[in-house]
Amino acid sequence: MRSTLRKKIIEVCNNKIEQKGSNVGLSFYAFFANKNDDPQLLMEAATWWIMDNKFDHFEKAVKIKAIVEALEAS
C-alpha cells in the first residue's frame, strides 16, 4: 500500500475517533470523496481491505488505525 494512502487512512481514523469516539466503525469508502476521481487508489484500498485482510464492511477505526500504523513502522 502506498504511503499516501496509509497516511490518509490514519488521518481519517483519527478524525472519526475524535468526532465519534473509540467505538466508531468505518468502511474503506471513508477514505475517499463521494466521487471516483482516483479509481486505482480506490481499488488499492478495496483490495487491501477485502482481499488481503478479509475485513467486514465496517470495522472499528481504532483497529484499522493500529494495523496501518504497524505497516508504517515496518
Side-chain angles (χ1 to χ4, degrees):
M1 178 190 314
R2 54 183 110 166
S3 65
T4 55
L5 181 55
R6 289 192 305 264
K7 287 178 174 56
K8 178 69 173 176
I9 290 171
I10 292 169
E11 176 185 314
V12 169
C13 287
N14 283 336
N15 289 338
K16 293 288 185 183
I17 293 165
E18 184 179 311
Q19 292 170 357
K20 299 186 179 203
S22 61
N23 204 32
V24 67
L26 47 80
S27 77
F28 69 88
Y29 291 113
F31 312 123
F32 300 92
N34 286 335
K35 57 184 176 182
N36 190 4
D37 57 356
D38 192 343
Q40 287 181 322
L41 191 61
L42 178 63
M43 287 306 296
E44 185 176 332
T47 299
W48 178 80
W49 190 279
I50 298 166
M51 302 299 289
D52 297 347
N53 291 287
K54 312 260 189 287
F55 291 144
D56 289 334
H57 184 73
F58 285 95
E59 292 288 344
K60 300 292 184 204
V62 292
K63 173 183 176 180
I64 299 303
K65 179 183 172 191
I67 291 168
V68 174
E69 285 176 336
L71 290 173
E72 283 277 291
S74 60

